[in-house]
């Protein structure tokens, strides 16, 4: 049983301050394992309330070119799932609730499940909990296909963050939120990850539909890249989720981690001000 | 045949074959589209008008039923009756036309104006572009950048047929990445777009739906075998990439317990070298492209690149119904190496005057081995149906390289590429 803080505590704190929470994403191992730890610590320091650590995967169907590029760089650098756990441990030590965002297959395969004969899912949940992780966001696992994960997460007291989409029926939204713990991830657009210049008009109605089914906080992601967009989303959502824009800040400074970290800090501060402006 | 017998092999409501295999591991954003497709497909298959329209285009446009041909000289060589299901004679040269015509007809029925498809070698891309032209649909084909370079002729065909071809640079820039990119397109375009999936893999309902559209292969072959020889075959054989031509043949015979079912996977340089695509034989269970199945992957569950001389079989996953049939022992799956397949390609060319696709040559090699064994056990009336899924025109470039053909300065009186010798062994001696 883990005693790690659920992500919902960060949402509660933000709500008490009359603002939305800022949720920041970066893949583990990008630009390197140590570099990703350093970068995420900057994001925490500059105002991210919740951290999502991505596990790079060979076939990321929900990701646009920016996150694909970062994941590919991390995979070429030799990132292993065991490295992910080290990154989680280092980040969770800052006190920021830390969730992992991963495609499903690496979870099933965690720890060489075939060799050990033990379920990778169970072992993943156990190790994530002992690394201080708060839970898992599963972009290609819906609750109706996620029985094994739900059981393992419940056993280890971990957050289960499933996604709702503009195309989700009311029945599916209700089914999804009933299975969530921590928060609900609302995908603002019909599309893959990637910074967009305008916010989506699909997001607010989706948040409203989601709220009808749950008291859990609702975070909105996909496409947010600046403080103004963050402020707009913060006016109707409990959390603003940013990924590609953070990755972009680092990608724009190849072989210059200090420059990348400065850009990351500036972006985080802009976004953190945005969620307080609504 | 009772309903319960049929349902032993059917997927359940969530798309699982035998509880473990298949399903739908997909982003929530696509679930509504997959549900819509599932409903439309079930509805269409229950509508006699749709079924009749599908049969009509298969017959009048694609050339179905394809012949079941008794290869007598080959039969004499192996000591058993070898029957070839001539899908190579279909319009566009392979079984794939059946699947795309079915899916495109369904797209039209659903009122969507645009189709997308992935392709490896370009065969499914060409078939999709063909179906799109036939039905007047807008068509975009995703193809790995490595493959657009390797298969320039098929890119030209797709262009001529009016399709857009988008080279995919991400990942390994091959078939699996083309599927990823097509899925990304689809997430953003589901309202207007149908995804014509190229094989019996992927999330529910694709494995079952693609099987339904290709099962004419087996339905025809079963009836033809009964009509022409008065018996069911002792065994049937097909090559397995994603598994559409194989499941299309197998489906009709699943309840015929006396019929052995054999799938042949691409063994590449040999399974022991690690350079292969023998997913069931040598892979591990996992989730790829929305289904739980066998996957070529590393310890961490990252997909690894597959290798095969045959671009159409070069895929690190496999359709989940095959995984199920393998797990319950109803079908067996064995690898056939590049060299064995190329030998079989030359053998069929020389013995029967039929140049098969390299994919199909895997089935020829494996099917002939089965025929030899059954001939020895049961005598020359032992009957094996081999699915000749496609013709070899598209593979001439590979054949030229493999056999050292086509060099105008080396035209010899004797044909090169003796089917009994491995050209690489000759190279090694020289
Ligand atoms: C002639 C032929 N046979 C077989 C295949 C393999 O696909 P599947 O396993 O889906 O039948 C292909 C794929 O391009 C093909 O062109």
């Amino acid at each position: 049983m883990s005693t790690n803080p659920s992500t919902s505590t960060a949402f509660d704190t933000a709500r008490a301050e009359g603002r939305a929470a800022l949720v920041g994403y970066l893949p583990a191992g990008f630009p390197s394992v140590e570099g990703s730890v350093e970068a995420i610590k900057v994001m925490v320091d500059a105002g991210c309330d919740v951290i999502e650590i991505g596990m790079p995967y060979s076939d990321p169907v929900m990701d646009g070119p920016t996150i694909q590029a970062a994941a590919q760089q991390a995979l070429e650098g030799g990132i292993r799932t065991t490295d992910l756990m080290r990154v989680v441990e280092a980040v969770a030590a800052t006190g920021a609730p830390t969730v992992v965002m991963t495609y499903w297959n690496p979870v099933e395969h965690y720890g060489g499940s075939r060799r050990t004969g033990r379920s990778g899912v169970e072992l993943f949940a156990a190790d994530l909990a002992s690394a201080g992780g708060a839970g898992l966001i599963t972009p290609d696992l819906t609750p109706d296909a996620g029985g094994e994960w739900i059981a393992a997460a419940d056993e280890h007291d971990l957050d289960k963050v499933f996604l709702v989409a503009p195309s989700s029926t009311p029945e599916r939204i209700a089914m999804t939120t009933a299975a969530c713990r921590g928060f609900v991830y609302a995908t603002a657009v019909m599309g893959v990850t990637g910074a967009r210049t305008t916010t989506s008009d699909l997001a607010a109605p989706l948040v409203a539909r989601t709220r009808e089914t749950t008291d859990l906080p609702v975070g909105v992601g996909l496409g947010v890249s600046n403080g103004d967009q963050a402020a707009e989303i913060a006016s109707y959502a409990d959390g603003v989720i940013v990924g590609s824009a953070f990755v972009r800040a680092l990608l724009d400074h190849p072989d210059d981690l200090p420059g990348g970290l400065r850009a990351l800090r500036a972006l985080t501060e802009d976004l953190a001000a945005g969620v307080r402006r609504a | 045949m009772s309903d319960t017998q049929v349902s032993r092999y059917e997927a359940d409501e969530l798309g699982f074959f035998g509880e473990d295999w298949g399903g739908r591991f997909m982003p929530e954003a696509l679930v509504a589209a997959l549900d819509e497709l599932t409903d439309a497909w079930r509805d269409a298959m229950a509508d006699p008008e749709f079924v009749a329209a599908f049969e009509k285009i298969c017959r009048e446009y694609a050339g179905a039923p394809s012949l079941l041909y008794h290869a007598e000289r080959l039969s004499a060589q192996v000591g058993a009756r070898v029957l070839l299901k001539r899908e190579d004679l279909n319009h566009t040269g392979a079984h794939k036309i059946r699947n795309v015509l079915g899916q495109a007809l369904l797209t039209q029925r659903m009122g969507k104006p645009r189709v997308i498809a992935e392709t490896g070698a370009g065969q499914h891309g060409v078939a999709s572009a063909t179906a799109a032209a036939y039905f007047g649909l807008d068509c975009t084909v995703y193809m790995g950048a490595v493959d657009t370079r390797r298969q320039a002729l098929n890119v030209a065909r797709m262009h001529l047929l009016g399709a857009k071809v988008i080279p995919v640079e991400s990942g390994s820039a091959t078939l699996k990445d083309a599927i990823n990119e097509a899925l990304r397109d689809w997430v953003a375009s589901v309202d207007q777009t149908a995804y014509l999936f190229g094989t019996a893999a992927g999330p529910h309902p694709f494995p079952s739906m693609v099987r339904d559209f290709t099962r004419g292969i087996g339905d025809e072959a079963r009836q033809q075998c009964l009509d022409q020889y008065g018996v069911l075959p002792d065994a049937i054989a097909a090559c397995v990439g994603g598994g559409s031509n194989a499941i299309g043949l197998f489906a009709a015979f699943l309840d015929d317990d006396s019929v052995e079912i054999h799938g042949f996977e691409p063994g590449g340089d040999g399974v022991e070298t690690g350079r292969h695509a023998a997913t069931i034989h040598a892979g591990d269970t996992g989730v790829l492209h929305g289904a739980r199945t066998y996957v070529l992957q590393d310890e961490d569950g990252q997909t690894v690149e597959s290798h095969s001389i045959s671009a159409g079989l070069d895929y690190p996953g496999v359709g989940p119904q095959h995984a199920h049939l393998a797990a319950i022992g109803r079908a067996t799956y064995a690898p056939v190496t590049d060299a064995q397949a190329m030998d079989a390609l030359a053998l069929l060319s020389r013995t029967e005057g039929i140049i098969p696709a390299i994919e199909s040559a895997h089935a020829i090699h494996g099917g002939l081995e089965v025929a030899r064994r059954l001939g020895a056990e049961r005598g020359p009336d032992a009957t094996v149906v081999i699915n000749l899924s496609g013709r070899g025109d598209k593979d001439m470039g590979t054949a030229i390289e493999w056999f050292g053909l086509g060099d105008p300065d080396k035209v010899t009186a004797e044909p090169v590429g003796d089917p009994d010798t491995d050209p690489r062994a000759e190279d090694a001696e020289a």
Side-chain angles (χ1 to χ4, degrees):
Chain A
M1 209 56 147
S2 89
T3 50
N4 309 331
S6 161
T7 47
S8 60
T9 59
F11 285 93
D12 290 345
T13 306
R15 195 178 277 174
E17 292 174 17
R19 64 174 177 93
L22 177 61
V23 182
Y25 165 96
L26 213 62
F30 170 75
S32 64
V33 173
E34 301 320 319
S36 60
V37 172
E38 239 185 291
I40 295 169
K41 283 182 174 169
V42 167
M43 288 159 61
V44 173
D45 190 53
C48 281
D49 302 294
V50 174
I51 293 295
E52 291 178 8
I53 302 177
M55 179 59 209
Y57 176 54
S58 51
D59 295 276
V61 295
M62 271 294 281
D63 286 308
T66 305
I67 291 178
Q68 281 178 46
Q72 197 152 340
Q73 188 177 323
L75 287 169
E76 281 162 10
I79 180 88
R80 303 287 314 261
T81 318
T82 44
D83 298 319
L84 167 78
M85 293 298 179
R86 284 201 290 132
V87 175
V88 169
E89 192 157 19
V91 172
T94 65
T98 302
V99 286
V100 165
M101 183 155 187
T102 178
Y103 292 92
W104 184 242
N105 201 43
V107 180
E108 282 202 358
H109 275 262
Y110 182 68
S113 53
R114 197 185 207 180
R115 239 183 331 98
T116 59
R118 199 173 157 195
S119 157
V121 180
E122 202 336 269
L123 198 60
F124 189 99
D127 282 7
L128 180 62
S130 57
L136 206 56
I137 304 174
T138 49
D140 64 349
L141 188 76
T142 50
D144 43 351
E148 199 181 356
W149 160 241
I150 290 170
D154 291 346
E155 158 119 19
H156 293 278
D157 210 14
L158 292 166
D159 285 351
K160 300 159 288 184
V161 181
F162 295 104
L163 282 63
V164 292
S167 59
S168 302
T169 60
E171 295 75 30
R172 287 197 63 85
I173 291 179
M175 182 275 291
T176 303
T177 59
C180 284
R181 203 195 90 164
F183 68 103
V184 182
Y185 192 130
T187 52
V189 294
M190 287 300 288
V192 295
T193 58
R196 290 169 174 81
T197 46
T198 54
T199 51
S200 158
D201 53 7
L202 298 173
L206 175 60
V207 171
R209 293 202 294 140
T210 306
R211 284 239 173 82
E212 283 169 22
T213 68
T214 184
D215 293 328
L216 284 172
V218 182
V220 170
L222 293 201
V224 185
S225 63
N226 61 46
D228 290 340
Q229 288 175 333
E232 192 185 324
I233 289 171
S235 69
Y236 58 79
D238 304 298
V240 178
I241 306 170
V242 182
S244 296
F246 287 126
V247 170
R248 171 59 45 206
L250 292 180
L251 278 176
D252 283 346
H253 296 81
D255 305 317
D256 174 19
L257 189 56
L261 296 181
R262 276 195 299 278
L264 207 57
R265 181 175 294 279
L267 175 63
T268 310
E269 286 169 354
D270 180 34
L271 292 162
V275 299
R276 286 165 174 79
R277 200 152 64 226
Chain B
M1 232 190 297
S2 78
D3 280 357
T4 48
Q5 262 179 329
V6 175
S7 66
R8 238 189 330 162
Y9 300 109
E10 280 299 328
D12 67 15
E13 276 295 300
L14 293 172
F16 283 98
F17 296 91
E19 296 189 8
D20 287 332
W21 308 101
R24 190 188 275 170
F25 297 82
M26 275 277 117
E28 170 65 20
L30 282 174
V31 169
L34 290 164
D35 278 342
E36 180 195 13
L37 182 61
T38 306
D39 290 345
W41 155 65
R42 285 197 201 290
D43 190 61
M45 296 313 280
D47 177 356
E49 259 179 54
F50 178 88
V51 173
F54 178 52
E55 281 171 5
K56 182 166 189 286
I57 32 173
C58 283
R59 191 171 63 244
E60 295 178 3
Y61 183 67
S66 61
L67 300 173
L68 187 69
Y69 163 68
H70 182 193
E72 293 192 32
R73 296 188 62 215
L74 266 188
S75 299
Q77 277 192 22
V78 298
R81 184 156 54 204
V82 175
L83 304 177
L84 302 179
K85 182 61 176 162
R86 297 292 308 274
E87 290 291 296
D88 60 316
L89 298 177
N90 293 350
H91 180 44
T92 71
H95 70 287
K96 303 238 165 201
I97 192 73
R98 296 180 188 255
N99 174 35
V100 292
L101 288 176
Q103 290 197 53
L105 185 65
L106 189 59
T107 303
Q108 193 186 46
R109 181 181 166 101
M110 293 169 77
K112 299 196 178 194
R114 174 173 181 259
V115 294
I116 55 174
E118 84 292 344
T119 196
Q123 289 308 104
H124 175 61
V126 168
S128 298
T130 301
Y134 179 91
F135 286 103
L137 300 165
D138 186 63
C139 179
T140 299
V141 178
Y142 290 92
M143 188 169 185
V146 170
D147 293 327
T148 54
R149 287 190 286 272
R150 285 198 290 213
Q151 305 285 341
L153 189 61
N154 271 342
V155 174
R157 283 201 182 103
M158 288 184 265
H159 280 154
L160 196 56
L161 290 160
K164 287 193 253 320
V165 180
I166 301 187
V168 176
E169 304 278 356
S170 60
S172 56
T174 58
L175 176 60
K176 77 174 181 66
D177 308 285
I179 294 175
N180 296 339
E181 205 56 34
L183 285 167
R184 292 180 190 119
D185 178 318
W186 204 31
V187 174
S189 67
V190 280
D191 281 355
Q192 299 290 312
T193 302
Y195 182 4
L196 303 191
F197 204 75
T199 189
H204 181 62
F206 286 112
S208 299
M209 183 176 76
V210 172
R211 179 206 56 211
D212 280 1
F213 289 140
T214 50
R215 68 168 294 150
I217 302 168
D219 289 337
E220 292 166 15
R222 190 175 183 282
Q223 196 57 49
Q224 287 164 325
C225 194
L226 286 171
D227 290 349
Q228 293 168 221
Y229 305 97
V231 290
L232 284 176
D234 296 85
I236 58 175
C239 66
V240 182
S244 65
N245 89 87
I247 205 68
L249 176 66
F250 296 175
F253 295 94
L254 291 176
D255 290 314
D256 297 321
D257 291 336
S258 68
V259 178
E260 289 182 16
I261 299 180
H262 296 277
F264 293 99
E265 298 193 298
D269 290 344
V271 169
E272 66 291 349
T273 66
R275 291 177 50 81
H276 63 84
T279 315
I280 295 177
H281 181 80
D284 190 358
T285 65
V287 170
L288 178 64
H289 293 139
R292 179 173 291 112
T293 182
Y294 286 97
V295 181
L296 297 181
Q297 57 197 318
D298 69 13
E299 280 246 303
D300 279 358
Q302 307 283 356
T303 314
V304 300
E305 251 179 88
S306 54
H307 295 276
S308 170
I309 192 167
S310 143
L313 301 181
D314 203 352
Y315 177 58
V318 65
Q321 191 166 9
H322 289 293
H324 177 228
L325 293 174
I328 62 175
R330 179 63 189 99
T332 58
Y333 297 82
V336 170
T337 64
D338 289 354
Q340 289 169 330
M342 293 309 283
D343 282 355
L345 182 141
L347 177 68
L348 190 67
S349 304
R350 299 280 163 82
T351 315
E352 297 288 343
I354 299 170
I355 302 177
I358 302 176
E359 290 81 6
S360 320
H362 288 71
I364 299 292
H365 174 88
L368 291 180
E369 297 280 294
V370 171
R372 262 189 211 99
R373 171 174 58 78
L374 290 174
E377 285 170 17
R378 303 180 191 177
D381 285 345
T383 302
V384 177
V385 171
I386 303 175
N387 196 17
L388 190 54
S389 57
R391 61 176 170 246
D393 307 32
K394 69 183 177 61
D395 294 317
M396 286 313 295
T398 309
I400 285 168
E401 250 179 65
W402 182 272
F403 295 114
L405 308 168
D407 183 339
D409 294 333
K410 289 191 190 156
V411 176
T412 56
E414 289 301 311
V416 293
D418 184 335
D420 293 330
T421 54
D422 181 343
R424 293 175 308 177
E426 272 171 31
D427 279 356
E429 280 161 28

